[in-house]
Amino acid sequence: MAQFLKFMVNKNQNFTNIKLLVRLIHRKPSKQQKPPPVPPPKPPNPPQKPVSFSHHDETWEDPYSWMTNLDDKVAMRHMDVYMEQEEKYIEAVMSDTERIQNRLQAEMAVRINSHLSSVPMKWGPWLYYRRVEEGKQYQVLCRRSVKLNEEFISNSSPSAGFDFTAGKRIEQKLLDYNKEAERFGGYAYEELSEISPDHRFLAYTMYDKENDCFKLSVRDLSSSSLFKKPEVDRVAGLAWGRDGKSLFYTVTDSNKRPYRIFRSVIGENENDLLVMEESDVNAYLSIKHTKDFQFVTVNVSSVTSSKVYLINAADPLSVMKLVYECEPHVNCIIEHHQGHLYVFTNAAKDGQPADSHYLFSCTVEASGSRKWENVFLDDPEFVLENVDYNDTHLILILREGREFKICAVPLPLASKEAVRLKELNPTFLPLPKYVCQISPGPNYDYYSSTVRFTVSSPVMPDAVVDYNLADGKWLIVQQQNVLQEGTRTLYGATSVSANTEKLRTSRSIHLSNEVRSEDDQLWNDLSEFYACEQYDVSSHDGVLVPLTIVYSRKYRQDGLSPGLLHGHGAYGELLDKRWRSELKSLLDRGWVIAYADVRGGGGKGTKWHLDGRRTKKQNGINDYISCAKFLLDKEIVHQNRLGAWGYSAGGLLVASAINMQPDLFRAAVLKVPFLDATNTLLYPILPLMPSDYEEFGDPEDVEDFRAIRKYSPYDNIQKDALYPAVLVTSSLNTRFGVWEAAKWAARVRDHVIYDPKRPILLNLTVDIVEENKYLQCKESALETAFLIKMMMD
């Protein structure tokens, strides 16, 4: 019995244990407490030190004016701390985008020209080009003899410029910018570069970071050695005399105003000769040589007039001659051809403002006596956008509405009186659809029958084209192959060309620029994959504003796609609508890229520019808002997924539009923007040009001042409004100082409703990004990742 009782006890115990085990197995797990969510990073909060300002009986306070006190060491220490806080803040906000940034950067890097070499440029007996050596950051300027390289296939073939078959070196290195970087603070940033007409010397200016100026140097191209003189600081312009020894250059004053012209004789020890000095603080000098090196032109621009002088390049010590004078702030470019001067200008005609550029002409002997004559009769069918010259032809870049064309007219002109262009039987070149810009040059060889130009389109990578005026043949010498993520560079026999017979059929001014089906293979046109559409959007006052949109035919979703609206609208400049490889990353993710040609820009002539500047600056802002609403109302872009993008003056346009209607946009990118218009125009820290006041207004004029106060982004931030997320990118080396972006970011955060999903970010870049492709990709990847993130949250 004792044994049985013991067994039963053990059995019951085992059974109890089994029941406990079953209960444990089937018991619902207790809810574990999740760790509290990580609070979103808080933006920096710089100190406010309000200062009052008064002008034209108006008083206002600026709480962040201390950021502009560059001479105040305490303020600058605060600024350094603030910039460090901004850097940490953007890192924290964007920390979850590291993977997408890396991916974007890899995508963009692949699209960069792998060999980073320029297209060879023929000038006289030489082919000039720039290339990058493996493992080096900067380019090398080189040249080869035309005789030895009539079929120039590649910059890297023969290897390192050495022809092992012939047993001789055929490439001459002229300037290694990697070595220049050692001279100038670790990087090489060249602003000007001019080779003498006899191909013996190279004059160039490099940015000297330590002295914050551009330094002039001259090299002997036969030995690549530097001359001891001239070595001059603050050089802003260069022009060679006809003898190849006389070098003219302009020097700036402490406010970076070009005010003196000197002449130096290369190889001689005599002091450089002062040719001209402009004492008027509102006058600016610029110089250039005519393409045939017969003259050096001197432009003097002031608040009272625009003047052009000639210096006989064959006799540099001769007296300058005034050849043209007109009203202030106009464009005047003079060229010479066989005893005739041609001026390309937008000066007033017969006392009436001109709505576009035009050509005047007269003989050299008659110049200065106001005997300038029109080259072409006014023609409503086209607008003259640009001109170029060689010894035998006048090359014209025209625009009919939105359509760009290029044609050539023989020189000298058949008629001495003004005629309609079509009477000269111009030869037109067939172009692809949607060309948004044609840029001439570089065409240094005045006596060559071949001219070079670049054709741009929103749906086609830039095509560098050589056009032989002697036989009518044309060829694409360089164009990126986007679909293969590479660049095709075509030289010599590998190039494509149109036959002469095709061009002979294109002699009418009404000729369509559209590519015929048999020409499709000649252009690397992407319109099969990316659509381009053009609209006319009615603005607030009924004026029609050109709007261009681009999207992927495959990935766009009607009504659901995010979008990015570009704008600039200043200085009468064309809005940059060229194909940009970094935007492919957005297009292939279903984005719509849009371009608004608002008033103030150069989209529709001089009046279009005048109607968007000074007291009319608000027109351009309203135009931009109208285009944004159009994209949303027509469901081209999703209602809550529209982004804005503006560069420099375009940053002012976008920021002003956000102030007026912040609910239109979900995100915005402002690159080196102009944001503090009132204070910058009243109290400029960095020198401003007369054209800046002509564009944005002179605060000494009461009407201009009131307009500035109305549109200035920094002064019109809405209180207690929900603003879009904004990424502001600025630099210590920009016309509009980093303090503008810093002040604006701080004030927006202080005024608007705080939403961590719509942060205001300030990204301070390195000094110079343009010369560094890696940094370009990095900055573009950050911007793109920011836009993607803000549209998804």
Side-chain angles (χ1 to χ4, degrees):
M1 179 62 72
Q3 291 277 354
F4 175 77
L5 291 175
K6 185 176 181 181
F7 168 76
M8 292 301 295
V9 169
N10 290 337
K11 183 178 179 181
N12 289 335
Q13 200 170 19
N14 290 338
F15 182 71
T16 302
N17 291 339
I18 291 173
K19 287 197 297 182
L20 288 174
L21 181 60
V22 170
R23 287 177 183 172
L24 287 174
I25 292 173
H26 291 279
R27 189 179 65 183
K28 293 182 179 180
S30 61
K31 291 184 179 180
Q32 294 183 355
Q33 291 187 349
K34 293 182 179 179
V38 178
K42 291 186 178 181
N45 186 23
Q48 297 188 25
K49 303 175 183 179
V51 177
S52 294
F53 296 91
S54 296
H55 197 67
H56 288 309
D57 298 324
E58 183 175 345
T59 301
W60 66 96
E61 277 194 348
D62 185 353
Y64 300 108
S65 65
W66 62 268
M67 295 184 186
T68 66
N69 297 333
L70 305 185
D71 296 327
D72 186 333
K73 293 182 179 179
V74 174
M76 290 303 97
R77 281 199 294 268
H78 283 304
M79 193 65 169
D80 286 341
V81 172
Y82 175 39
M83 290 297 98
E84 289 178 6
Q85 292 173 343
E86 290 287 1
E87 184 178 358
K88 292 178 181 178
Y89 179 56
I90 191 172
E91 286 179 357
V93 171
M94 297 296 291
S95 61
D96 59 345
T97 67
E98 184 175 347
R99 178 177 294 181
I100 184 67
Q101 284 191 59
N102 291 336
R103 182 173 177 179
L104 289 165
Q105 191 170 345
E107 290 176 10
M108 295 172 183
V110 170
R111 300 179 196 130
I112 294 178
N113 188 347
S114 58
H115 55 70
L116 296 173
S117 298
S118 65
V119 184
M121 179 191 69
K122 181 182 176 297
W123 181 16
W126 297 99
L127 287 166
Y128 290 91
Y129 56 95
R130 298 170 188 258
R131 64 178 178 82
V132 170
E133 297 177 331
E134 188 174 354
K136 299 292 183 66
Q137 181 176 357
Y138 297 104
Q139 296 178 328
V140 180
L141 175 63
C142 305
R143 70 181 178 187
R144 299 185 184 190
S145 170
V146 172
K147 292 181 180 180
L148 298 176
N149 297 270
E150 291 184 0
E151 296 295 330
F152 190 6
I153 304 301
S154 170
N155 288 321
S156 58
S157 176
S159 177
F162 190 86
D163 188 340
F164 290 95
T165 303
K168 58 184 177 182
R169 183 173 297 278
I170 62 175
E171 178 183 85
Q172 180 185 358
K173 288 185 182 180
L174 304 179
L175 184 60
D176 187 340
Y177 292 95
N178 297 285
K179 293 181 179 179
E180 291 298 299
E182 298 174 5
R183 293 177 61 207
F184 294 103
Y187 59 78
Y189 182 31
E190 179 186 77
E191 183 178 50
L192 303 171
S193 178
E194 294 286 349
I195 294 173
S196 62
D198 56 6
H199 304 272
R200 292 178 56 196
F201 308 121
L202 170 66
Y204 62 103
T205 61
M206 303 294 297
Y207 182 66
D208 184 348
K209 183 177 180 181
E210 183 176 347
N211 297 306
D212 188 26
C213 69
F214 286 92
K215 177 186 279 293
L216 169 64
S217 301
V218 179
R219 286 189 182 272
D220 185 335
L221 295 184
S222 62
S223 62
S224 195
S225 58
L226 272 174
F227 285 96
K228 291 184 178 180
K229 67 169 289 291
E231 278 198 338
V232 187
D233 291 338
R234 306 201 318 267
V235 172
L238 298 173
W240 283 102
R242 189 178 179 186
D243 60 2
K245 293 182 63 178
S246 298
L247 176 65
F248 295 85
Y249 60 89
T250 59
V251 172
T252 64
D253 61 14
S254 57
N255 289 321
K256 298 187 178 182
R257 175 181 70 94
Y259 78 118
R260 285 178 176 173
I261 300 175
F262 288 89
R263 171 182 173 262
S264 180
V265 180
I266 307 304
E268 297 186 7
N269 293 323
E270 62 185 32
N271 292 331
D272 293 350
L273 176 68
L274 178 63
V275 176
M276 183 178 185
E277 181 172 0
E278 182 54 70
S279 57
D280 183 354
V281 296
N282 294 312
Y284 292 72
L285 305 180
S286 63
I287 58 173
K288 65 181 287 290
H289 54 254
T290 57
K291 298 191 70 173
D292 60 0
F293 287 97
Q294 297 291 326
F295 298 97
V296 172
T297 62
V298 178
N299 285 60
V300 183
S301 177
S302 71
V303 295
T304 58
S305 67
S306 299
K307 299 178 181 179
V308 185
Y309 296 85
L310 283 190
I311 299 175
N312 187 342
D315 184 13
L317 296 179
S318 61
V319 178
M320 288 192 304
K321 178 182 179 181
L322 177 64
V323 294
Y324 189 75
E325 183 176 4
C326 59
E327 71 270 21
H329 310 304
V330 298
N331 189 25
C332 299
I333 301 175
I334 285 185
E335 274 295 344
H336 173 257
H337 181 271
Q338 298 180 9
H340 282 77
L341 295 174
Y342 292 88
V343 57
F344 179 64
T345 183
N346 60 343
K349 297 174 70 173
D350 301 323
Q352 297 297 318
D355 196 34
S356 62
H357 284 75
Y358 56 91
L359 271 179
F360 271 172
S361 177
C362 75
T363 63
V364 174
E365 291 76 15
S367 63
S369 60
R370 298 188 180 276
K371 292 186 178 180
W372 293 87
E373 301 290 343
N374 281 313
V375 173
F376 303 113
L377 293 172
D378 291 340
D379 195 329
E381 293 183 348
F382 72 86
V383 173
L384 187 58
E385 289 286 342
N386 210 337
V387 295
D388 204 351
Y389 309 79
N390 71 358
D391 189 38
T392 60
H393 284 80
L394 173 64
I395 298 93
L396 306 173
I397 296 173
L398 312 171
R399 178 172 54 82
E400 287 189 71
R402 295 184 178 185
E403 190 175 15
F404 282 81
K405 299 182 177 183
I406 185 168
C407 69
V409 174
L411 286 176
L413 296 175
S415 174
K416 293 184 179 180
E417 297 181 351
V419 297
R420 292 191 181 277
L421 176 59
K422 61 184 176 183
E423 295 177 28
L424 298 175
N425 295 319
T427 302
F428 280 80
L429 203 68
L431 297 174
K433 291 181 180 179
Y434 310 118
V435 171
C436 64
Q437 188 174 334
I438 302 176
S439 306
N443 293 310
Y444 288 103
D445 197 337
Y446 179 72
Y447 298 99
S448 172
S449 63
T450 298
V451 294
R452 177 170 291 172
F453 52 91
T454 301
V455 178
S456 302
S457 162
V459 287
M460 183 189 76
D462 283 2
V464 182
V465 180
D466 278 358
Y467 179 25
N468 192 325
L469 300 169
D471 59 17
K473 293 183 178 180
W474 61 276
L475 52 90
I476 301 173
V477 293
Q478 190 176 68
Q479 189 178 29
Q480 185 182 15
N481 190 333
V482 172
L483 301 181
Q484 296 180 9
E485 305 286 31
T487 300
R488 63 172 182 174
T489 305
L490 307 175
Y491 306 117
T494 63
S495 302
V496 293
S497 63
N499 58 45
T500 307
E501 197 59 38
K502 284 184 180 180
L503 290 176
R504 285 177 179 168
T505 63
S506 305
R507 292 186 177 271
S508 168
I509 195 160
H510 299 290
L511 171 75
S512 172
N513 268 9
E514 293 185 6
V515 176
R516 297 181 294 268
S517 58
E518 62 267 28
D519 292 331
D520 285 345
Q521 71 276 11
L522 300 181
W523 301 92
N524 187 10
D525 190 345
L526 304 174
S527 56
E528 178 184 351
F529 307 96
Y530 301 97
C532 181
E533 297 177 2
Q534 296 173 331
Y535 300 91
D536 289 316
V537 177
S538 180
S539 191
H540 67 291
D541 53 1
V543 171
L544 297 180
V545 181
L547 176 68
T548 303
I549 70 168
V550 180
Y551 59 86
S552 168
R553 297 185 186 275
K554 180 178 179 181
Y555 297 110
R556 178 199 174 191
Q557 294 178 294
D558 289 342
L560 299 176
S561 289
L564 187 64
L565 179 60
H566 291 249
H568 187 256
Y571 300 105
E573 296 175 353
L574 285 175
L575 177 63
D576 186 2
K577 299 191 288 287
R578 297 174 300 164
W579 172 268
R580 286 165 46 193
S581 61
E582 65 268 25
L583 292 180
K584 185 175 184 293
S585 293
L586 287 177
L587 290 169
D588 291 349
R589 287 172 171 82
W591 284 60
V592 173
I593 307 297
Y595 303 91
D597 278 302
V598 304
R599 278 172 282 186
K604 297 175 71 173
T606 301
K607 187 177 184 304
W608 192 255
H609 171 218
L610 298 180
D611 285 345
R613 66 174 192 139
R614 300 192 75 154
T615 57
K616 299 180 179 180
K617 179 61 69 177
Q618 192 66 42
N619 281 338
I621 300 167
N622 289 331
D623 292 348
Y624 186 81
I625 290 173
S626 297
C627 289
K629 289 181 177 179
F630 180 88
L631 293 171
L632 300 175
D633 293 343
K634 298 298 182 181
E635 296 186 349
I636 297 171
V637 174
H638 186 275
Q639 285 291 327
N640 194 34
R641 304 181 77 186
L642 177 61
W645 194 95
Y647 173 82
S648 191
L652 179 145
L653 174 78
V654 171
S656 297
I658 290 172
N659 282 343
M660 290 182 65
Q661 294 204 359
D663 57 310
L664 279 178
F665 307 97
R666 182 63 185 268
V669 174
L670 310 179
K671 291 182 69 69
V672 290
F674 181 28
L675 298 172
D676 190 10
T678 300
N679 293 306
T680 296
L681 292 169
L682 266 176
Y683 315 107
I685 298 172
L686 298 176
L688 296 177
M689 302 285 286
S691 58
D692 296 322
Y693 291 102
E694 282 297 305
E695 182 61 39
F696 300 105
D698 183 351
E700 296 306 322
D701 181 285
V702 64
E703 295 301 322
D704 279 3
F705 175 74
R706 288 171 180 167
I708 294 166
R709 291 288 295 161
K710 184 178 179 181
Y711 73 70
S712 175
Y714 182 66
D715 300 303
N716 290 281
I717 299 165
Q718 289 193 34
K719 289 189 176 181
D720 301 323
L722 182 62
Y723 265 45
V726 183
L727 172 62
V728 192
T729 298
S730 192
S731 168
L732 297 174
N733 187 31
T734 178
R735 288 187 64 225
F736 303 119
V738 66
W739 50 85
E740 291 211 6
K743 290 174 63 178
W744 183 87
R747 200 169 200 179
V748 169
R749 293 171 185 149
D750 182 53
H751 277 44
V752 306
I753 298 173
Y754 173 69
D755 183 350
K757 293 184 177 181
R758 297 191 176 199
I760 307 297
L761 305 178
L762 177 57
N763 180 39
L764 185 63
T765 68
V766 295
D767 286 349
I768 294 175
V769 174
E770 292 85 351
E771 299 296 308
N772 191 310
K773 300 297 181 181
Y774 168 77
L775 291 178
Q776 280 186 0
C777 288
K778 186 176 181 181
E779 295 299 325
S780 296
L782 174 66
E783 292 174 16
T784 306
F786 166 79
L787 290 168
I788 293 172
K789 172 182 170 66
M790 297 307 151
M791 296 300 175
M792 293 175 62
D793 286 349

